[in-house]
Amino acid sequence: SLKREYSKGIFDVKKSAENIAHDIRTPLTVIKGYVDLLEEEDLSEEGKKCLEIIKGRTRYMKEMTDELFLSLSMKSRGVLSLFDIDAKSVLEEALVSFYNEFKKKGMTPSIITPNDKVILKADSKALYRVYSNIISNALKYGEGEFNVQMDEKGNTIFSNYAPNMDSVEANKLLDRYYTISDAKASSGIGLSISNEILQEMGGELKVRLDNKRLYISIIYKT
């Protein structure tokens, strides 16, 4: 029947996604192992620079693989598991998970949220991934203070000083295959898939750069 064929198609897509992810992750793990070994060697300054580039590109490939796998998995399921959840607690959990990274970079989070719970119909794991992607993006390109402000409807504005970003780069951050990259950081696909996830939950991402300050906003349509 058509229903059986549709179910089989979903299974095939999911299985293909799992196979592709495994095929890519295995060599990446091997590369990372050799990179870790090289870090223990007495390298020249030029060798150290090259190693940093390799580390950055390997990390980038892993992020790309994880995000593509998430996207394929989401599409194979068809829909997310939407329940009434407290978005404020999910946001707080995501922020706490980056505590050490904020400390290492010397960035100070300033967080404003409602006193009460912020109930949204959403997939808690998917929403956590969205918040984490945005915070990770801020850590890569931001400096100084990192501001987060959530209202009672769940609309949230993340902002940070991004001195090395221009308006052209900011406007392309939601493009799936556009990346800003150097030896240490790269981005593009994470925010793109975050936007896809939010659209499944009735929201969307907005990005703007104003006076060297990057604003990434989560806006819900209802």
Side-chain angles (χ1 to χ4, degrees):
S1 70
L2 287 175
K3 187 174 182 180
R4 282 199 299 272
E5 287 299 316
Y6 178 72
S7 298
K8 182 178 182 297
I10 289 177
F11 175 79
D12 289 342
V13 170
K14 186 175 181 180
K15 194 66 179 175
S16 295
E18 290 172 351
N19 290 338
I20 290 169
H22 180 268
D23 289 344
I24 297 175
R25 282 169 174 163
T26 299
L28 282 176
T29 301
V30 173
I31 292 170
K32 185 180 182 301
Y34 279 111
V35 167
D36 290 343
L37 286 174
L38 283 171
E39 285 188 308
E40 298 176 3
E41 298 295 321
D42 185 17
L43 301 176
S44 65
E45 287 304 312
E46 186 63 26
K48 290 178 182 178
K49 289 179 182 178
C50 290
L51 184 59
E52 281 300 310
I53 292 172
I54 294 170
K55 283 174 61 179
R57 301 314 292 175
T58 302
R59 182 166 55 247
Y60 169 50
M61 285 297 298
K62 183 180 184 303
E63 289 174 359
M64 289 276 284
T65 302
D66 290 344
E67 296 301 336
L68 283 171
F69 182 56
L70 175 65
S71 180
L72 287 169
S73 297
M74 188 178 74
K75 285 178 170 56
S76 71
R77 292 200 307 268
V79 293
L80 298 172
S81 300
L82 304 182
F83 299 97
D84 285 343
I85 65 165
D86 180 10
K88 185 177 81 168
S89 68
V90 176
L91 173 62
E92 290 170 347
E93 183 183 352
L95 286 164
V96 168
S97 72
F98 284 92
Y99 173 80
N100 287 332
E101 285 80 358
F102 279 120
K103 190 174 180 180
K104 287 177 184 177
K105 189 145 187 188
M107 291 180 69
T108 305
S110 173
I111 305 162
I112 299 175
T113 59
N115 292 326
D116 298 326
K117 293 181 178 180
V118 177
I119 304 301
L120 293 177
K121 191 169 288 295
D123 184 310
S124 60
K125 290 182 179 178
L127 188 59
Y128 178 88
R129 188 60 176 267
V130 169
Y131 291 147
S132 295
N133 278 339
I134 296 172
I135 296 167
S136 177
N137 186 81
L139 283 163
K140 287 174 182 175
Y141 306 114
E143 294 182 6
E145 188 179 88
F146 174 59
N147 293 336
V148 182
Q149 186 166 355
M150 173 184 277
D151 68 17
E152 67 279 359
K153 295 181 179 179
N155 299 317
T156 310
I157 301 174
F158 301 80
S159 68
N160 58 274
Y161 182 53
N164 298 318
M165 185 175 291
D166 60 35
S167 58
V168 173
E169 292 170 333
N171 289 334
K172 292 184 177 181
L173 276 179
L174 296 183
D175 293 352
R176 169 166 288 200
Y177 296 111
Y178 179 79
T179 63
I180 303 169
S181 63
D182 56 26
K184 296 181 179 179
S186 56
S187 184
I189 193 166
L191 290 180
S192 170
I193 292 179
S194 292
N195 195 31
E196 289 183 16
I197 292 171
L198 278 172
Q199 288 171 353
E200 293 281 335
M201 297 188 289
E204 63 178 335
L205 279 182
K206 296 287 187 182
V207 177
R208 68 183 176 91
L209 187 71
D210 185 8
N211 197 26
K212 287 296 181 180
R213 192 164 186 86
L214 180 66
Y215 295 84
I216 299 178
S217 302
I218 296 175
I219 306 297
Y220 289 95
K221 301 172 184 177
T222 56

